[in-house]
């Protein structure tokens, strides 16, 4: 009797339900594959046709004017938000102070939210050291950590000297821009008044440290190569990475500046600026050194923020995007569907439920047919797309697949928390840096100023 009951329930309820889940996963698989294929076709088009940003937008090197001197150089503010960054604060401050730009047209602003008195004193001493070398450097502190990084950046914008600046470059505490960073990025903003952001790619100084950092490098290289480059080329829009970018101050102010309503304040600002009609450009040839989390705990907290934050922002901004009248319906569709729904929401659910739940469970349902294209061909192509972005790690592709499937569960959890605004939705744990960048060769030391520039 029990056997008959189980057979009836299985055939009338469980099998149809499982078939329905499989059908949903197949549709999502197709969406994810088409999105990945589209991005890579755009990248191939860029490479074959040599559609570099310098060919799409006007770019001319900055020249010193004989009559005006340095006055034709715009004022640039370099912001470095940090929190108890004992191991890396010297690297970021030193790199910012070594940027090639007239001394009287550059302000370095260290936004130190540190709570450790010893580190606070060390940061102050480091800033004082560079101030004696002619650098206009400010060390700003708050009496609270409200809003975390967004709060620090927002507070930093309120100082009177910021109003004298036209552009703002932002670098996290472990980022080391090359000395010519401003020379290669700021001209885009000067000669193209429709541009609001110039984003550089990240270069990882500790990618070879362990297997986990190698896996991260593969994923992030694909993010820059495919997502950022395709978004920049086809839509002049992509998500700001929170660092290694230069903003036009006027565009930031028009969009309302920094907001701390989610843990992805950088993406929030980018979407709002984009909805005001501004354009972004990603410069793949300009890279900034940075450090990858080399401890799993730090990486796990980072991934929670990177999956929970976008989902929560999607929840809060969907209607705002739909009602927007400044941009075309196609750009709104791109932001809602491609940028948010497929890449930030669906891909996490799909990876976890299909590969970690549906496929293993399918062995109990031999009557349910799962097409080969969804289990072999599409996954193979998507994996190949990711692996090509980091050729030297191609032999690790099997480990990368396993690593991504393991992390899919954690990212899915974060996405659910963001969509439902769960208890950890605003959890912000600063990614711990171990100073791995210290193992790299330091940039050249600064000598005495000459003709308004720092001699190297």
């Amino acid at each position: 009797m029990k056997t008959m009951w189980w057979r009836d329930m299985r055939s009338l309820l469980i099998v149809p339900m499982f078939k329905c889940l499989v059908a949903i996963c197949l549709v999502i698989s197709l969406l994810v594959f088409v999105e990945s294929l589209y991005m890579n076709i755009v990248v191939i088009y860029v490479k074959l046709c040599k559609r570099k940003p310098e060919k799409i937008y006007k770019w001319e090197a900055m020249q010193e004017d004989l009559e005006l001197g340095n006055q034709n150089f715009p004022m640039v503010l370099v912001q470095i938000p940090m929190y108890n960054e004992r191991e890396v604060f010297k690297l970021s401050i030193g790199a910012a102070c070594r940027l090639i730009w007239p001394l009287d047209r550059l302000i370095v602003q260290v936004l130190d939210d540190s709570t450790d008195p010893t580190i606070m004193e060390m940061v102050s001493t480091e800033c004082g050291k560079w101030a004696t070398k002619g650098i206009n450097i400010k060390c700003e502190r708050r009496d609270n950590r409200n809003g975390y990084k967004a709060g620090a950046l927002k507070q930093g914008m309120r100082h009177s000297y910021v109003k004298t600046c036209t552009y703002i470059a932002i670098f996290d505490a472990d980022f080391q821009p090359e000395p010519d960073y401003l020379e290669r990025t700021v001209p885009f903003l000067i000669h193209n008044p429709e541009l609001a952001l110039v984003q550089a790619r990240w270069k990882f100084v500790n990618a070879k440290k362990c297997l986990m950092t190698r896996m991260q490098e593969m994923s992030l290289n694909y993010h820059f190569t495919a997502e950022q480059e395709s978004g920049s080329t086809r839509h002049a829009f992509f998500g700001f990475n929170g660092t290694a970018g230069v903003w036009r101050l006027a565009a930031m102010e028009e969009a309302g500046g920094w907001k701390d309503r989610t843990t992805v304040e950088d993406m929030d600002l980018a979407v709002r600026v984009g909805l005001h009609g501004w354009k972004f450009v990603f410069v793949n040839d300009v890279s900034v050194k940075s450090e990858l989390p080399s401890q799993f705990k730090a990486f796990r907290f980072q991934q929670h923020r990177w999956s929970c934050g976008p989902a929560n922002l999607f929840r809060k901004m969907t209607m705002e995007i739909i009602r927007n009248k400044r941009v075309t319906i196609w750009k709104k569709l791109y932001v809602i569907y491609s940028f948010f729904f497929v890449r930030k929401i669906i891909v996490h659910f799909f990876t976890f439920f299909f590969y970690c739940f549906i496929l293993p469970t399918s062995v109990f349902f031999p009557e349910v047919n799962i097409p080969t294209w969804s289990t072999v061909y599409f996954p193979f192509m998507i994996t190949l797309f990711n692996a090509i972005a980091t050729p030297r790690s191609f032999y690790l592709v099997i480990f990368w697949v396993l690593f991504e499937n393991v992390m899919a569960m954690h990212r899915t959890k974060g996405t659910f928390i963001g969509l439902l605004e769960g208890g950890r939705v605003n959890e912000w744990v600063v990614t711990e840096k171990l100073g791995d960048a210290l193992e790299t060769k330091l940039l050249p030391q600064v000598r005495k100023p000459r003709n308004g520039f720092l001699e190297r």
Side-chain angles (χ1 to χ4, degrees):
M1 191 70 179
K2 289 183 179 180
T3 303
M4 291 290 295
W5 176 82
W6 167 248
R7 287 177 180 176
D8 290 343
M9 187 177 70
R10 187 178 187 278
S11 61
L12 296 175
L13 179 63
I14 298 178
V15 172
M17 186 180 298
F18 189 75
K19 286 183 177 180
C20 181
L21 291 175
V22 169
I24 293 173
C25 286
L26 294 180
V27 172
I28 295 175
S29 176
L30 182 62
L31 296 179
V32 172
F33 175 74
V34 169
E35 181 70 14
S36 180
L37 182 63
Y38 161 75
M39 291 188 295
N40 282 274
I41 288 175
V42 173
V43 171
I44 293 173
Y45 162 74
V46 170
K47 302 300 182 185
L48 293 179
C49 299
K50 298 182 179 179
R51 297 285 292 171
K52 290 188 175 183
E54 292 83 352
K55 290 188 176 182
I56 301 175
Y57 298 98
K58 183 179 179 182
W59 188 95
E60 293 180 4
M62 297 296 298
Q63 300 292 333
E64 185 176 356
D65 191 289
L66 295 178
E67 296 182 0
L68 298 177
N70 296 330
Q71 295 304 308
N72 67 317
F73 283 76
M75 284 290 295
V76 177
L77 175 71
V78 178
Q79 291 184 310
I80 310 174
M82 59 176 60
Y83 172 72
N84 291 338
E85 305 287 1
R86 179 188 296 271
E87 304 296 340
V88 296
F89 75 90
K90 287 187 177 181
L91 291 174
S92 58
I93 294 175
C97 292
R98 292 183 177 95
L99 289 169
I100 300 174
W101 207 251
L103 293 180
D104 59 342
R105 312 300 291 173
L106 180 69
I107 302 175
V108 177
Q109 185 187 63
V110 179
L111 302 170
D112 185 24
D113 270 3
S114 299
T115 54
D116 187 322
T118 302
I119 297 178
M120 294 170 66
E121 180 63 28
M122 293 167 65
V123 172
S124 297
T125 301
E126 184 69 12
C127 292
K129 183 188 77 172
W130 286 103
T132 61
K133 297 182 179 181
I135 303 296
N136 186 1
I137 185 170
K138 314 284 186 181
C139 183
E140 308 291 0
R141 292 192 171 94
R142 304 184 292 164
D143 57 5
N144 59 74
R145 288 200 68 220
N146 295 340
Y148 303 106
K149 179 181 175 181
L153 291 167
K154 187 175 182 179
Q155 182 66 31
M157 299 289 286
R158 293 174 178 170
H159 296 281
S160 57
Y161 57 83
V162 175
K163 301 302 179 182
T164 66
C165 300
T166 307
Y167 308 115
I168 299 177
I170 302 174
F171 301 102
D172 281 349
D174 59 313
F175 277 71
Q176 302 175 73
E178 296 293 337
D180 63 350
Y181 175 86
L182 294 178
E183 291 184 317
R184 299 180 65 183
T185 55
V186 171
F188 281 108
L189 297 171
I190 294 175
H191 300 299
N192 302 276
E194 74 277 17
L195 287 179
L197 168 67
V198 180
Q199 173 74 59
R201 71 172 297 142
W202 300 355
K203 181 180 179 181
F204 311 107
V205 298
N206 66 332
K208 298 180 180 180
K209 185 177 181 65
C210 61
L211 186 60
M212 190 178 74
T213 55
R214 294 290 291 272
M215 302 299 101
Q216 293 177 67
E217 182 192 33
M218 293 176 70
S219 297
L220 288 171
N221 279 349
Y222 176 76
H223 164 71
F224 285 109
T225 302
E227 294 184 24
Q228 300 295 78
E229 190 145 35
S230 65
S232 175
T233 303
R234 291 288 298 121
H235 308 279
F237 172 80
F238 48 82
F240 174 46
N241 294 119
T243 179
V246 185
W247 280 97
R248 186 186 300 273
L249 179 58
M252 298 176 68
E253 291 179 337
E254 183 182 2
W258 295 103
K259 294 185 178 181
D260 58 5
R261 56 182 173 175
T262 69
T263 56
V264 284
E265 73 294 324
D266 44 11
M267 187 181 295
D268 188 345
L269 177 63
V271 173
R272 285 185 284 112
V273 172
L275 292 178
H276 277 74
W278 292 93
K279 296 181 178 181
F280 304 165
V281 61
F282 171 68
V283 187
N284 188 60
D285 292 339
V286 179
S287 60
V288 180
K289 296 177 182 178
S290 64
E291 179 182 330
L292 291 165
S294 54
Q295 294 186 340
F296 183 72
K297 182 180 179 180
F299 176 68
R300 184 167 56 85
F301 280 124
Q302 181 198 69
Q303 293 302 298
H304 171 79
R305 190 170 74 248
W306 285 6
S307 57
C308 178
N312 190 234
L313 183 63
F314 177 64
R315 171 193 172 111
K316 293 180 175 178
M317 289 203 70
T318 301
M319 294 310 300
E320 182 179 342
I321 297 170
I322 293 174
R323 293 169 183 160
N324 183 276
K325 297 181 180 179
R326 293 174 178 262
V327 298
T328 65
I329 189 173
W330 295 112
K331 189 164 186 177
K332 289 192 286 186
L333 181 63
Y334 168 75
V335 174
I336 292 175
Y337 172 75
S338 293
F339 181 75
F340 274 119
F341 183 68
V342 176
R343 302 181 199 171
K344 312 300 181 186
I345 310 294
I346 287 299
V347 69
H348 300 318
F349 291 155
F350 170 71
T351 303
F352 173 66
F353 284 111
F354 187 60
Y355 296 115
C356 301
F357 176 73
I358 295 295
L359 287 183
T361 309
S362 65
V363 299
F364 299 107
F365 301 94
E367 63 269 46
V368 178
N369 178 46
I370 300 180
T372 305
W373 58 262
S374 67
T375 58
V376 179
Y377 302 138
F378 281 8
F380 173 79
M381 291 299 296
I382 293 174
T383 301
L384 184 63
F385 292 152
N386 278 270
I388 290 175
T390 313
R392 67 183 181 85
S393 297
F394 191 84
Y395 69 99
L396 295 172
V397 68
I398 300 300
F399 294 99
W400 178 83
V401 170
L402 297 174
F403 180 75
E404 287 296 300
N405 283 334
V406 169
M407 292 306 302
M409 180 178 67
H410 186 70
R411 291 171 182 146
T412 300
K413 178 183 176 183
T415 303
F416 265 124
I417 292 174
L419 287 175
L420 303 177
E421 289 206 326
R424 295 177 58 200
V425 67
N426 291 318
E427 180 184 64
W428 181 289
V429 179
V430 176
T431 305
E432 183 181 3
K433 290 92 176 178
L434 301 180
D436 292 336
L438 289 169
E439 299 174 5
T440 64
K441 183 178 180 181
L442 294 176
L443 297 172
Q445 293 295 317
V446 175
R447 299 177 184 174
K448 295 181 179 179
R450 186 180 67 179
N451 296 330
F453 286 84
L454 289 180
E455 184 181 335
R456 290 164 176 79

